[in-house]
Amino acid sequence: MTKVTIQSSGHAFDVKPSQTVLEAAIENGINLPYGCRTGSCGSCKGKLVSGKVMHDDYQGSAMTEVELAAGNALFCCARPLEDLVIDVRESMEAGIKPRILPARVSKKELLAPDVMALHLQLPSSERLQFLPGQYIEFILRNGKRRAFSIANAPHADFGLELHLRLVKGGEFTEYVFNELTEKAIMRIEAPFGSFHLREESNKPIIFAATGTGFAPIKGIIEHMLYNDIQRPMTLYWGGRQPADLYMDDLCRRWAEHVPTFTYVPVLSKPTPDWAGRTGYVQQAITGDMPDLSGYEAYVCGLPNMVDDAQKQFAVHGLEEEAFFSDAFTFAP
């Protein structure tokens, strides 16, 4: 085994030969930032202070050749060749160790022509602890995995709500839409992900979502409402057409009844009768809030939106440690 030490905290953990740095960190309860676990989103990127790694395959958008040459590593794909010292932002919150559970499909609910709410029921003797905003992974019969964010809050721990967008040619989503039946039993492992509410902060929150990136944000908002967390929060939800904002009515009800909540829907390809905001969510946010220095931002959606939001928000004063993201990527 090799040993990994986190420079800032001094936390150290062992990595088995079969593990990546991130897999070993999760097993040892060390909270490194991560999203997809497949080398697609770049959330787990950090610096190698000393030591060498070998990388599994990853997408060039997650880490460029320039970043690799500068000593960066993607810890979800990095396998140590020797002991390492790494520099990476680490959450000090207590982690919840993932576990494998059976889950029964209790309901399929079509939210839009291409969005399905999948409701899972856990065994009566089981409860799943998770942080609002985290995700689960389905373990398929062929050993492949598919990850989806939890769209409900942790207090509803007897069941799980997921939002799945139909991907043309997508093996798993086409199966869910066309073949999966209610009462079917699935195998899941959960919880995963470092995209979750930081409850120690009292800063006002900006939520930015595109498409089904709304799912984990919905879980966070419901958690805040359930626990009467009074931090001001503004949700910017972007899509192309009105149907992409598949729970628009729910967001408008929150805005009507919750004094601390503001909702701004944004369409990039609006219909002629659309009277709301147009363009992209990250541009709408910086247009409305030129100074983001006092905020936290939770951003979820396609990688190009997340990446652009991080760059634009930094220009407008958002501190690096106040930006939390989950970039949705599709399995190849």
Side-chain angles (χ1 to χ4, degrees), residues 18-302:
S18 61
Q19 291 179 316
T20 64
V21 173
L22 179 61
E23 287 171 343
I26 293 172
E27 183 178 276
N28 285 276
I30 303 295
N31 295 326
L32 301 188
Y34 70 98
C36 66
R37 300 208 304 154
T38 60
S40 300
C41 71
S43 297
C44 65
K45 188 163 46 189
K47 277 274 191 182
L48 289 176
V49 179
S50 66
K52 297 179 181 178
V53 300
M54 175 181 67
H55 279 94
D56 297 340
D57 290 341
Y58 61 87
Q59 294 188 17
S61 58
M63 183 172 65
T64 66
E65 291 295 326
V66 173
E67 290 174 319
L68 180 63
N72 287 282
L74 282 180
F75 294 123
C76 72
C77 301
R79 299 181 186 274
L81 299 175
E82 56 193 31
D83 289 350
L84 306 177
V85 177
I86 63 175
D87 181 15
V88 64
R89 188 172 70 184
E90 180 186 4
S91 172
M92 293 297 113
E93 294 188 26
I96 303 171
K97 189 173 181 178
R99 59 197 181 107
I100 295 175
L101 292 167
R104 183 185 299 273
V105 178
S106 59
K107 185 170 69 169
K108 291 169 58 176
E109 179 184 5
L110 197 65
L111 302 177
D114 61 346
V115 178
M116 179 78 71
L118 188 63
H119 297 266
L120 303 178
Q121 189 77 33
L122 301 177
S124 58
S125 60
E126 296 285 359
R127 290 291 185 269
L128 177 66
Q129 286 187 305
F130 62 93
L131 300 174
Q134 289 191 296
Y135 68 89
I136 74 164
E137 289 186 348
F138 287 101
I139 305 173
L140 309 186
R141 291 181 180 178
N142 58 10
K144 294 181 180 179
R145 290 176 175 246
R146 294 294 184 268
F148 294 94
S149 294
I150 303 171
N152 55 281
H155 65 269
D157 60 356
F158 53 86
L160 299 172
E161 175 187 340
L162 314 173
H163 297 171
L164 283 65
R165 182 175 294 281
L166 178 62
V167 179
K168 188 176 181 180
E171 176 185 358
F172 184 70
T173 58
E174 287 200 347
Y175 166 72
V176 170
F177 271 70
N178 302 320
E179 300 178 44
L180 182 66
T181 60
E182 293 183 357
K183 298 186 179 180
I185 302 296
M186 314 285 284
R187 286 179 74 223
I188 66 170
E189 186 172 10
F192 290 109
S194 56
F195 184 76
H196 58 79
L197 180 66
R198 270 59 179 183
E199 298 197 37
E200 72 279 4
S201 173
N202 60 4
K203 290 182 177 180
I205 295 174
I206 298 168
F207 293 112
T210 54
T212 52
F214 171 70
I217 288 173
K218 173 179 176 288
I220 292 174
I221 293 171
E222 289 181 344
H223 173 79
M224 294 179 68
L225 298 180
Y226 180 80
N227 289 281
D228 197 28
I229 297 174
Q230 294 292 312
R231 294 165 64 181
M233 47 182 165
T234 304
L235 167 63
Y236 288 77
W237 189 8
R240 293 164 296 177
Q241 302 289 326
D244 293 330
L245 310 181
Y246 53 85
M247 283 190 162
D248 181 70
D249 287 347
L250 173 64
C251 297
R252 292 184 186 275
R253 287 199 302 273
W254 285 338
E256 181 180 356
H257 297 292
V258 181
T260 55
F261 179 81
T262 303
Y263 173 48
V264 183
V266 185
L267 296 183
S268 60
K269 295 182 179 179
T271 52
D273 59 344
W274 177 253
R277 300 288 291 276
T278 61
Y280 298 104
V281 287
Q282 64 271 31
Q283 296 168 352
I285 290 167
T286 54
D288 290 348
M289 304 176 184
D291 182 7
L292 297 176
S293 57
Y295 290 84
E296 280 185 352
Y298 292 79
V299 181
C300 190
L302 293 174

